[in-house]
Amino acid sequence: MPKTLLRSIPLAVSAGFLAACASTGQEPPPPALNYPVTETVDQIDLYHGTPVADPYRWLEEDVRESERVAQWVAAQNEVTFAYLDDISERVAISKRMTELWDFEKFSVPVKRGGRYFYEYNDGLANQDQIFVQRSVDAEPELLIDPNLWSDDGTVALSAYYPSPDGRYLATMVQRSGSDWRQARVFDVDAGVFLDDDLQWLKFTDVAWAADSSGFYYSRYPEPMEGEAFQSLNKDHTVHFHALGTTQDADAVVYARPDEPTWGFDATATEDGRFVIITVWKGTDDRYRILVADLLSDDPSPRMLIDNFDHDYTFIGNVGRELLFRTNNGAPLGRVIAIDLDAPGPSDWREVLAESDAVLDDASLVGGRLVAEYLRDARSEVRIYGLDGTDLGAVDLPGIGSASGFEGSAGDPETFYSYSSFNQPPTIYRFDVASGTSSVFRSADVDFDPDAYAVEQVFYTSKDGTRVPMFIAYRKGIELGADTPALLYGYGGFNIAMRPSFSITRLSWMEMGGVYAVANLRGGGEYGESWHKAGTRLQKQNVFDDFIAAGEFLVNNGYTSPDKLAIFGGSNGGLLVGAVINQRPDLFAAAMPAVGVMDMVRFDRFTAGRFWVDDYGSPENPDEFRALYAYSPYHNVRAGTEYPAVLVTTADTDDRVVPGHSFKYTAALQAAQAGSDPVLIRIETKAGHGAGTPTQKIIDAYADRWAFLVRNLDLELPDDYGG
């Protein structure tokens, strides 16, 4: 993509921000919204000769440790919940969403030792349970019920890893939504947890040894007291834990104290011969690869790929040949085989050549390669021989998303899930040899899929780029200027937005709303070039794509600016914050969730330093100017009529620390010149999203949809709720 020009920062922007921060608001808020007084401080930092005001710096303090921040949070929540409780439709929305949510949910099974493990929720349980079937037709048996771990459902089982013989489960325990994990081992035959207890795990999988004697994992050092949820994560190390031992006895498999910013993820091959260590240092799919030959005289890990230039995602091995998905020489992805006896790039064997679709994932099952592709953000799946012979496509039901296809190299059986905006997830059992699918489990949701339309359209962004967008709505609604619409976007970190099922989206469409998802640059919909076109100095492309999506919905008769709302979380929260600064006139409501809002200090907390791959670094003068030009917090303008804004975050979010949302909300409340509300909803005992109890999710979305009812002047249909 051609490099876009950096936009200069008009003096009025910085001056406006300073003016907004100099008081607690130029215009008195409506009587029902007496915002808490937010103290300002005289904090100005100099970045590459540019003074940057940060009058709400004190709101970065950890809410669990700072009494004054805790008081601010309580005061803001009091205003927000009083406002939301006053919306009479909220009760009906919550009731209907609860009814819709009450259906059986299943995860894709994992088969180990002839046993089938999967997650199950009978409907409204706060956390999924873990079940096992001793054969594909056997009766399910309950193994683990995390709902018994806490009264409020805030202790979750975030992941589980069956041992190769199916005897044990290594489980990851998550508390209050934090990224920190505790590993425990469950004995499937005995039905009890063992004494094994591992702490301070983060950003790691578990890789069992082939003989099920123990597993590999990665961890960080124990943080200093009071810094667990704020301090930067450094000094990742790989360890091996032998069952029945204490964590302090775990052997260090690999460590690089000379490279404290590197992170590691270990994988063991099924044959027990090799351990593959993937080395990362940010969010980009650019990895170094180490290999340990456990049967050699020296089993210490040795570098196979000694640079961070490309993606090398390990798929599996056939003897001494290692298979990787890579974008080296193939921006859309290909599969290569590296022979450890001749590992030089000139000897690499291409197994699957680059195609005209993005190779999103690949797995080695039953002596075949299962290749998952994205074509215009929709799933396509094909089966190949290990020599690259095309053996045909997996027949999928329509415009949707398929995922799964994991299994053993010698087992022709695998499982996958398929869903779309109007299709609840169905779990299929797939026979790789015959290429046939059969239903393993399906969801029974209280709605008619045929009553909803799903479209894919393409629109033109500011610089002429063609961008796809999915649009879904209930058939029979009258599309036009009076139709409420909700536009969702993300646009970052090579993550593709796919057409998948969600009760919250269904609830919105039942209410008569249009739901649209724009596939913005910065995501993974079209490979490496699409991703890079929305990063660093090109990040403005993402905002231009999102604005153009909103303009398309308006200009093509789906809605109007008075009825258009936008929503995004995490990097999508940044997106929403930046866009309403740039085009406040285009939207009636905005809901930035757990957003990255301070783009000159994001790299100073927890995982923030990893995001430099996508955002660029404030330490680089050119990248700082680009960051400062769109930073949501710093580009709030006093005297602007902003749309209605509901910011959401959580007190235990140690991915995007809540100080981002706190500071942004304070600045926006001070600057708002219009009559629309600027509110923040701060969840307690929750984090960035993972592990959130069902009831908290329902409550949060009922609040969001009620907020839209009030601020889009939406009338619920006469038949709403049945």
Side-chain angles (χ1 to χ4, degrees):
M1 293 294 301
K3 182 175 170 182
T4 57
L5 294 175
L6 288 176
R7 298 182 310 152
S8 61
I9 307 170
L11 290 177
V13 173
S14 297
F17 177 70
L18 287 168
C21 298
S23 70
T24 58
Q26 280 81 15
E27 297 292 335
L33 288 177
N34 292 311
Y35 300 123
V37 174
T38 303
E39 175 190 354
T40 61
V41 296
D42 186 19
Q43 179 70 46
I44 297 179
D45 302 306
L46 196 65
Y47 289 85
H48 311 290
T50 300
V52 177
D54 191 2
Y56 301 109
R57 174 74 60 83
W58 65 275
L59 285 172
E60 290 179 354
E61 296 171 7
D62 189 344
V63 65
R64 292 163 297 268
E65 304 287 338
S66 170
E67 183 177 351
R68 61 176 178 169
V69 175
Q71 291 174 348
W72 184 89
V73 165
Q76 291 284 350
N77 269 344
E78 183 177 357
V79 172
T80 297
F81 286 113
Y83 178 91
L84 296 171
D85 289 344
D86 188 55
I87 303 171
S88 59
E89 293 89 347
R90 188 200 178 282
V91 174
I93 295 169
S94 178
K95 179 176 181 294
R96 179 56 180 156
M97 198 179 300
T98 301
E99 292 170 352
L100 288 170
W101 211 289
D102 194 7
F103 70 96
E104 291 183 307
K105 306 168 187 69
F106 302 87
S107 71
V108 175
V110 178
K111 184 181 179 182
R112 295 290 185 272
R115 301 172 178 182
Y116 301 81
F117 300 90
Y118 57 89
E119 298 170 57
Y120 171 76
N121 194 307
D122 64 2
L124 295 173
N126 275 321
Q127 300 293 342
D128 295 346
Q129 301 167 318
I130 304 298
F131 276 75
V132 65
Q133 291 180 207
R134 309 283 170 166
S135 70
V136 73
D137 298 318
E139 286 296 313
E141 303 171 31
L142 174 63
L143 290 180
I144 301 174
D145 185 0
N147 296 288
L148 304 177
W149 295 351
S150 62
D151 293 336
D152 57 5
T154 57
V155 181
L157 191 154
S158 65
Y160 69 97
Y161 305 86
S163 60
D165 62 6
R167 171 69 187 274
Y168 304 103
L169 293 181
T171 67
M172 294 289 200
V173 181
Q174 177 184 25
R175 289 177 171 79
S176 299
S178 169
D179 278 339
W180 290 113
R181 301 291 188 266
Q182 172 194 19
R184 299 291 310 281
V185 179
F186 187 82
D187 187 321
V188 175
D189 290 342
V192 297
F193 278 98
L194 304 180
D195 292 335
D196 304 62
D197 185 354
L198 312 183
Q199 301 285 345
W200 304 114
L201 282 64
K202 185 185 280 196
F203 308 138
T204 180
D205 289 321
V206 161
W208 282 93
D211 62 1
S212 301
S213 62
F215 52 81
Y216 300 88
Y217 69 96
S218 302
R219 61 162 293 183
Y220 287 104
E222 180 177 352
M224 296 180 63
E225 185 175 356
E227 295 186 3
F229 300 104
Q230 295 276 96
S231 60
L232 287 171
N233 302 136
K234 292 185 177 181
D235 297 308
H236 220 211
T237 47
V238 182
H239 301 257
F240 180 79
H241 175 73
L243 291 185
T245 65
T246 57
Q247 187 174 17
D248 58 9
D250 291 352
V252 176
V253 176
Y254 193 72
R256 287 295 297 267
D258 59 321
E259 297 287 356
T261 63
W262 287 11
F264 310 101
D265 193 60
T267 302
T269 58
E270 286 183 35
D271 59 10
R273 178 75 187 262
F274 303 107
V275 173
I276 313 300
I277 298 176
T278 300
V279 187
W280 48 271
K281 64 174 182 178
T283 55
D284 267 5
D285 298 327
R286 295 183 290 115
Y287 309 126
R288 295 180 184 231
I289 301 293
L290 296 106
V291 179
D293 185 344
L294 302 182
L295 300 184
S296 69
D297 293 336
D298 181 8
S300 58
R302 298 186 179 186
M303 280 287 181
L304 178 66
I305 306 293
D306 198 9
N307 58 69
F308 286 112
D309 293 342
H310 300 287
D311 172 21
Y312 297 95
T313 297
F314 181 64
I315 298 171
N317 72 304
V318 180
R320 291 183 62 80
E321 265 198 335
L322 308 182
L323 274 62
F324 292 91
R325 184 196 71 194
T326 185
N327 57 10
N328 185 352
L332 299 183
R334 62 177 178 146
V335 174
I336 61 171
I338 300 178
D339 189 333
L340 292 178
D341 293 325
S346 62
D347 293 312
W348 294 354
R349 179 171 67 89
E350 183 172 82
V351 181
L352 293 186
E354 181 181 32
S355 78
D356 59 350
V358 177
L359 180 59
D360 190 55
D361 203 359
S363 52
L364 182 59
V365 182
R368 307 278 203 276
L369 274 173
V370 182
E372 300 174 46
Y373 291 97
L374 278 181
R375 186 181 301 279
D376 291 330
R378 302 154 55 171
S379 287
E380 291 183 1
V381 182
R382 302 196 69 84
I383 310 300
Y384 295 91
L386 296 185
D387 60 356
T389 302
D390 190 340
L391 301 176
V394 178
D395 187 19
L396 300 177
I399 299 176
S401 300
S403 61
F405 299 102
E406 300 300 323
S408 299
D411 188 346
E413 179 183 52
T414 185
F415 295 83
Y416 68 94
S417 173
Y418 175 85
S419 72
S420 188
F421 291 120
N422 62 343
Q423 291 289 335
T426 298
I427 309 298
Y428 291 93
R429 179 174 178 261
F430 183 70
D431 186 291
V432 179
S434 66
T436 57
S437 298
S438 57
V439 174
F440 178 73
R441 295 287 187 272
S442 60
D444 183 14
V445 184
D446 181 23
F447 89 115
D448 177 11
D450 293 332
Y452 293 84
V454 178
E455 305 173 0
Q456 186 176 36
V457 301
F458 294 84
Y459 65 90
T460 303
S461 190
K462 182 178 181 180
D463 64 355
T465 299
R466 184 173 179 260
V467 182
M469 177 164 57
F470 295 105
I471 304 175
Y473 52 88
R474 191 174 64 173
K475 294 176 182 176
I477 68 169
E478 185 175 345
L479 299 175
D482 293 329
T483 308
L486 179 59
L487 173 61
Y488 184 88
Y490 187 78
F493 298 98
N494 204 30
I495 296 172
M497 295 291 102
R498 308 164 184 239
S500 58
F501 185 76
S502 163
I503 287 296
T504 57
R505 296 170 188 159
L506 173 61
S507 174
W508 170 251
M509 291 187 288
E510 269 200 349
M511 292 164 59
V514 171
Y515 190 83
V517 178
N519 298 108
L520 314 171
R521 280 175 283 184
E525 287 84 354
Y526 292 107
E528 185 178 21
S529 62
W530 189 260
H531 170 221
K532 293 301 182 185
T535 64
R536 295 183 179 253
L537 302 185
Q538 282 70 246
K539 186 67 174 177
Q540 181 60 38
N541 286 337
V542 183
F543 312 135
D544 290 342
D545 289 356
F546 201 52
I547 290 168
E551 292 172 337
F552 177 92
L553 293 172
V554 171
N555 295 337
N556 287 271
Y558 288 94
T559 189
S560 65
D562 290 338
K563 296 288 186 176
L564 178 57
I566 52 176
F567 180 28
S570 194
N571 176 72
L574 156 64
L575 168 70
V576 171
V579 162
I580 64 170
N581 282 336
Q582 296 180 16
R583 285 296 305 276
D585 59 303
L586 184 57
F587 314 106
M591 300 186 298
V594 293
V596 187
M597 300 306 203
D598 183 338
M599 300 310 297
V600 302
R601 286 177 60 78
F602 71 88
D603 59 339
R604 298 170 183 248
F605 302 98
T606 60
R609 64 181 178 81
F610 302 137
W611 312 333
V612 168
D613 281 351
D614 245 51
Y615 297 149
S617 172
E619 296 181 4
N620 178 294
D622 290 337
E623 291 174 347
F624 160 74
R625 283 189 286 273
L627 290 163
Y628 190 43
Y630 69 75
S631 178
Y633 173 51
H634 299 97
N635 285 278
V636 170
R637 293 177 174 87
T640 300
E641 292 190 11
Y642 283 97
V645 178
L646 177 62
V647 180
T648 52
T649 186
D651 62 355
T652 316
D653 189 346
D654 52 358
R655 182 81 58 86
V656 179
V657 294
H660 280 280
S661 293
F662 295 171
K663 296 200 305 182
Y664 169 72
T665 300
L668 200 61
Q669 286 178 344
Q672 174 67 296
S675 59
D676 287 330
V678 174
L679 302 172
I680 182 167
R681 184 188 189 278
I682 304 143
E683 188 62 82
T684 57
K685 297 182 71 176
H688 201 60
T692 304
T694 295
Q695 190 57 56
K696 284 183 180 288
I697 297 173
I698 292 174
D699 289 344
Y701 274 93
D703 286 343
R704 288 187 177 109
W705 292 176
F707 182 79
L708 295 184
V709 164
R710 170 70 59 86
N711 291 286
L712 301 185
D713 195 21
L714 188 160
E715 292 186 12
L716 297 180
D718 293 338
D719 61 349
Y720 178 71

